[in-house]
Amino acid sequence: MISFRPDEQTERELRELTEGRDRSTVLREIIHEAYVERLYAQAREDAERLRHDEADKAERARIAEEMGDAGAW
């Protein structure tokens, strides 16, 4: 059980989001969406970091060379 005290703005927004739907269901969806967005943001940050990582670039180049012409597969 989670309880919170929304301010007036949050209460208005929650009423609009729930319109005929169960408040608990809507809150679960909002939490899930925020969690997924956090995971995607972290993945984007990791990808950007690796894109500029010289050691990772070298490793990818070594693997590509080792595998040879990918078109041959």
Side-chain angles (χ1 to χ4, degrees), residues 1-34:
M1 169 71 91
I2 297 174
S3 65
F4 76 105
R5 291 183 177 87
D7 57 19
E8 289 180 30
Q9 177 182 349
T10 304
E11 185 62 41
R12 270 193 317 275
E13 292 167 350
L14 187 56
R15 266 196 311 274
E16 189 170 319
L17 286 170
T18 55
E19 290 184 343
R21 298 177 64 209
D22 177 64
R23 188 176 261 210
S24 292
T25 299
V26 171
L27 289 171
R28 280 192 298 272
E29 288 173 359
I30 291 168
I31 291 168
H32 176 71
E33 288 170 8

Side-chain angles (χ1 to χ4, degrees), residues 36-63:
V36 169
E37 178 53 37
R38 181 178 179 187
L39 292 177
Y40 278 113
Q42 183 63 55
R44 285 189 299 272
E45 290 172 15
D46 290 346
E48 187 64 19
R49 179 180 47 78
L50 288 172
R51 189 167 75 93
H52 298 289
D53 183 286
E54 294 302 321
D56 191 65
K57 284 182 191 179
E59 180 67 8
R60 284 185 278 140
R62 186 192 65 74
I63 291 169

